[in-house]
Amino acid sequence: MLLSIPDVLNPEQLATARKILEQAPWVDGKVTAGHQSAKAKDNQQIPEDHPAARQVGDVILASLGGHPLFIAAALPQRIFPPLFNRYSGGQSFGTHVDNAIRQVTGTPHRIRTDISATLFLAGPEEYDGGELCIEDTYGLQKVKLPAGHLVLYPATSLHRVQPVTRGTRLCSFFWIQSMVRDDGRRSLLFDLDLGIQRLNREFPDHPTAVQFTGVYHNLLRQWAEV
Ligand code: NI
């Protein structure tokens, strides 16, 4: 499932985040790449444990924690502390797949990357190129969202970032270990959840909503690992 989640950060949060990130040190993005993806990767990142990354990362995590659409779609169990990258001057990231397991630096914690997330911190008018291209079962999807918006996609997908030929593409990226690791099952639960919400809106107190809610929770009980 490929899903865009609007307004994860508001304009004020975005402005503050960008000011903090601008002043942070930027290093070669190969530091977090696996052996295969290092060959394809040409960008800059803020070191994972830098206070600026943690400060802005915590704002993102707090916002996601209160975002019903994100919770319903991702069914998050653990979220990797957000990382930050930027591309300019023709930089790109060739086709790759994200590592299946990621260790949080300086901690014993490991995360299985079920879902990949990219939060756009620069508006599409600020740079040319830089589309996130995801190879999905529906074909190639090109994603370039307004600043503050997030895209979720299965971490199993091959993806790349097109060369940025003007301006700077600034993003946060991270991974989610979901309570439901299978993308197909997670999509079914999300569809059922949206259907129940619609039923509740259009036919308040209809008894069928309780029955469907029961089915939702019983499927979650069968499939969730907590
Ligand atoms: Ni990637």
Side-chain angles (χ1 to χ4, degrees):
M1 174 175 49
L2 191 91
L3 184 74
S4 153
I5 300 185
D7 305 318
V8 169
L9 295 185
N10 63 38
E12 199 175 299
Q13 289 171 317
L14 267 176
T16 308
R18 287 179 61 151
K19 198 180 284 178
I20 294 167
L21 297 174
E22 254 165 41
Q23 289 158 6
W26 289 85
V27 299
D28 191 324
K30 287 184 173 52
V31 287
T32 56
H35 177 69
Q36 190 63 43
S37 58
K39 291 184 222 162
K41 191 172 187 181
D42 178 21
N43 66 7
Q44 287 190 306
Q45 283 179 207
I46 294 176
E48 200 175 315
D49 49 1
H50 191 275
R54 294 289 53 82
Q55 190 183 348
V56 178
D58 287 347
V59 173
I60 296 169
L61 292 178
S63 170
L64 289 175
H67 209 302
L69 185 60
F70 171 77
I71 303 286
L75 298 170
Q77 164 86 332
R78 295 183 196 148
I79 305 179
F80 196 89
L83 300 174
F84 299 87
N85 64 16
R86 69 181 182 191
Y87 296 76
S88 58
Q91 286 182 313
S92 65
F93 195 165
T95 304
H96 67 281
V97 67
D98 293 343
N99 288 356
I101 307 289
R102 298 210 75 115
Q103 180 104 25
V104 183
T105 303
T107 77
H109 302 300
R110 280 184 298 187
I111 286 181
R112 186 188 63 230
T113 61
D114 297 322
I115 304 169
S116 295
T118 295
L119 172 64
F120 289 78
L121 298 173
E125 69 287 351
E126 294 179 73
Y127 59 98
D128 289 336
E131 293 85 0
L132 173 63
C133 298
I134 301 161
E135 290 177 25
D136 185 75
T137 44
Y138 293 109
L140 183 68
Q141 309 290 320
K142 288 187 178 184
V143 183
K144 186 170 175 176
L145 299 178
H149 293 213
L150 176 87
V151 62
L152 294 179
Y153 59 99
T156 48
S157 356
L158 290 174
H159 56 277
R160 64 175 181 271
V161 176
Q162 296 285 79
V164 173
T165 54
R166 178 189 63 90
T168 300
R169 177 195 195 265
L170 176 67
C171 284
S172 173
F173 64 103
F174 50 95
W175 300 272
I176 297 124
Q177 178 173 328
S178 177
M179 289 187 283
V180 176
R181 75 157 76 183
D182 180 73
D183 183 64
R185 289 178 173 179
R186 223 169 31 244
S187 299
L188 279 175
L189 287 168
F190 183 56
D191 281 345
L192 182 55
D193 190 354
L194 292 180
I196 293 167
Q197 288 179 40
R198 185 172 167 190
L199 183 62
N200 279 325
R201 270 196 314 275
E202 295 180 7
F203 304 95
D205 304 320
H206 195 288
T208 303
V210 179
Q211 208 166 1
F212 286 159
T213 302
V215 173
Y216 177 89
H217 283 285
N218 291 332
L219 285 174
L220 188 59
R221 213 184 312 277
Q222 292 216 15
W223 293 340
E225 307 156 72
V226 289

